[in-house]
Amino acid sequence: MNILVLGTGGREHALAWACVKDSKVNTVFVAKGNAGTAHEDKLQNVDLDMANHTAVIEFCQANDIAFVLVGPEAPLVAGIVDDLRRVGIKAWGPTQYCAQLEGSKAFAKDFMKQVGIPTAFYEVFTEITPAKDFVRSKGTPIVIKADGLAAGKGVIVAMNEEEAFSAIDDMLSGNKFGDAGSRVVIEEFLAGEEASFICMIDGDNILPMATSQDHKRIFEGDTGANTGGMGAYSPAPVVTQQVHDKVIDRVIRPVVDAMKANGTPYTGFLYAGLMINDAGDPYVIEFNCRFGDPETQPIMMRLESSLVDLIEAGLAGQLPSEAKWSDKVALGVVLASRGYPESSSKGDVITGLDETFDGVKVFHAGTKQAGDDIVTDGGRVLCVTALADSIKDAQSKALQGCQAIDFDGKQFRRDIGWRAIAR
């Protein structure tokens, strides 16, 4: 069979890599892919604009595509799944309506309030003065979020009024996040430990993926600006069996049941970004309607079931309740370009990619081929991911890989997994 994966990042490299492990697969086409997917066995990059739904449909029809696996959020929010299904092409992902859970933070918060899913108190604003008045009334720390898609960076945790007001000004008048910030959600700052809880859903059945935890901040010790993610590991010890059961009962199942009752069944991946308090109670920080990046990389390293079989079962409405996972720990460290997340250096030659380490896989993200060289293409460049018997060993192996790879302006965190190690 042939599969089409839409996207260019590390998540898409990892998903495509997992798909070709299945012997049924002939070719996984990746649109547009990166330098890593260009060199992977049985993967083939295609110069296809995923925003051009007609072109995607025509490619699927011409290349006997069994199903389309949608990686990033933008095409989901734009309704790519609806358009593919309309012409009889199978696609794994939520519909445009369901993708509003990620596409609009205001929609997501209103949905959670209506369904009774635990989350922070909030208000939605389009005007600066009432937004600042709300901050004054609630106090700080407080969280300011751009309503729309902002590539994982439209969230400001303001520790004082000055930071909160600056974020409000940036979003509502400074246009820092474009249309995504024309409306802001201001919400309670939740204390606790974060975790990523990702599931596959077929409209009714829920298949939890392995638990994970990512590191959003640019600098070690979880300091500095928010990013799309500087590294992740799986499993996440904070998600005990008791916490796991609470998340299914209080968060995931209510989403599935409410969407089904609404006549808009949820299919695809659902990612609940959680804050777990000291009592082990989960609160939803945000929903994503696709696999997380960089969580995908360590989770796919641990997956022993066939991802293709799971997706085909999901498309048939027959998802199993469990998948098979390695008992080992996987940890991925992101190598980012100079200036990230505020800016991005491009065109820097990457060396050391030929180095191999047992149990280490390098997933590409912001890379491209330039003649005989592989160069940076901005943002998060690579995710060096290791599989080992312990979190400490996985961290050590991943960092060994990070040291072997070099490019001008390389930046990465050496403390990914620190919470699990501290335990």
Side-chain angles (χ1 to χ4, degrees):
M1 67 165 65
N2 296 330
I3 296 167
L4 174 62
V5 173
L6 299 181
T8 62
R11 165 184 49 229
E12 289 74 37
H13 187 182
L15 291 172
W17 171 80
C19 285
V20 296
K21 288 182 176 181
D22 193 304
S23 60
K24 297 189 297 294
V25 175
N26 296 320
T27 304
V28 175
F29 297 99
V30 188
K32 296 183 177 181
N34 53 47
T37 53
H39 292 279
E40 197 85 54
D41 186 39
K42 293 169 65 174
L43 300 191
Q44 183 177 326
N45 287 354
V46 289
D47 188 15
L48 189 62
D49 180 5
M50 58 188 167
N52 185 339
H53 295 188
T54 300
V56 174
I57 288 167
E58 290 174 350
F59 179 88
C60 292
Q61 292 169 334
N63 291 276
D64 192 26
I65 298 299
F67 63 81
V68 179
L69 174 52
V70 186
E73 60 274 19
L76 295 169
V77 172
I80 185 71
V81 169
D82 308 66
D83 289 344
L84 289 166
R85 289 180 180 173
R86 203 170 285 122
V87 295
I89 297 170
K90 293 178 180 179
W92 183 249
T95 61
Q96 186 172 33
Y97 179 84
C98 293
Q100 290 179 97
L101 283 174
E102 178 168 7
S104 169
K105 291 181 177 64
F107 175 91
K109 296 293 285 192
D110 290 346
F111 176 86
M112 285 187 271
K113 184 177 181 180
Q114 175 187 347
V115 176
I117 294 170
T119 189
F121 71 69
Y122 73 102
E123 290 288 346
V124 181
F125 299 94
T126 57
E127 302 294 331
I128 290 174
T129 299
K132 291 183 178 180
D133 287 344
F134 182 75
V135 170
R136 289 190 188 97
S137 70
K138 294 298 184 182
T140 55
I142 202 162
V143 182
I144 319 294
K145 295 181 176 180
D147 175 54
L149 298 178
K153 296 187 284 289
V155 178
I156 305 298
V157 179
M159 301 310 293
N160 53 56
E161 276 194 5
E162 182 181 359
E163 291 178 359
F165 292 171
S166 176
I168 291 166
D169 288 337
D170 281 346
M171 293 183 192
L172 292 181
S173 66
N175 205 35
K176 183 173 183 179
F177 298 104
D179 291 342
S182 61
R183 183 164 62 162
V184 299
V185 174
I186 303 180
E187 64 178 46
E188 175 186 12
F189 172 81
L190 296 173
E193 185 170 346
E194 291 189 43
S196 305
F197 198 97
I198 304 170
C199 295
M200 296 179 73
I201 298 168
D202 65 11
D204 189 21
N205 300 304
I206 300 167
L207 170 59
M209 297 283 95
T211 62
S212 59
Q213 184 179 79
D214 78 336
H215 296 66
K216 287 288 189 187
R217 302 293 188 137
I218 185 67
F219 298 131
E220 290 169 18
D222 293 325
T223 59
N226 261 336
T227 71
M230 292 301 292
Y233 63 93
S234 172
V238 68
V239 184
T240 62
Q241 186 61 50
Q242 185 180 34
V243 170
H244 184 283
D245 294 344
K246 288 179 182 178
V247 175
I248 294 292
D249 293 343
R250 301 179 188 181
V251 177
I252 308 299
R253 177 50 67 184
V255 171
V256 175
D257 290 348
M259 288 297 189
K260 184 178 179 182
N262 189 52
T264 54
Y266 192 102
T267 58
F269 297 117
L270 179 65
Y271 169 131
L274 304 173
M275 185 67 76
I276 299 163
N277 67 16
D278 291 342
D281 294 321
Y283 289 79
V284 177
I285 302 170
E286 64 179 1
F287 282 120
N288 293 326
C289 294
R290 35 74 190 180
F291 232 112
D293 187 348
E295 294 96 332
T296 310
Q297 292 89 315
I299 290 175
M300 288 300 106
M301 286 283 280
R302 293 187 61 220
L303 180 64
E304 294 183 345
S305 300
S306 163
L307 179 61
V308 173
D309 284 349
L310 295 178
I311 291 174
E312 288 193 308
L315 290 167
Q318 297 174 349
L319 267 179
S321 59
E322 294 181 352
K324 187 176 180 183
W325 302 96
S326 168
D327 291 332
K328 293 187 175 184
V329 175
L331 182 145
V333 179
V334 168
L335 303 182
S337 61
R338 182 199 293 110
Y340 181 78
E342 292 301 325
S343 62
S344 278
S345 174
K346 296 185 179 183
D348 300 306
V349 175
I350 306 170
T351 60
L353 289 170
D354 293 335
E355 292 278 350
T356 57
F357 300 95
D358 183 47
V360 176
K361 173 71 179 176
V362 179
F363 294 105
H364 288 235
T367 65
K368 66 178 181 180
Q369 194 77 36
D372 293 334
D373 295 322
I374 294 177
V375 301
T376 65
D377 199 30
R380 293 177 294 167
V381 177
L382 302 162
C383 184
V384 182
T385 310
L387 190 67
D389 291 328
S390 70
I391 184 72
K392 186 67 177 173
D393 287 346
Q395 184 195 63
S396 178
K397 289 171 72 170
L399 291 176
Q400 187 180 12
C402 291
Q403 297 289 1
I405 297 167
D406 199 25
F407 54 87
D408 194 24
K410 176 183 75 172
Q411 56 172 330
F412 64 99
R413 285 180 54 173
R414 293 165 178 80
D415 67 341
I416 300 302
W418 68 267
R419 287 188 180 88
I421 291 170
R423 286 173 181 265

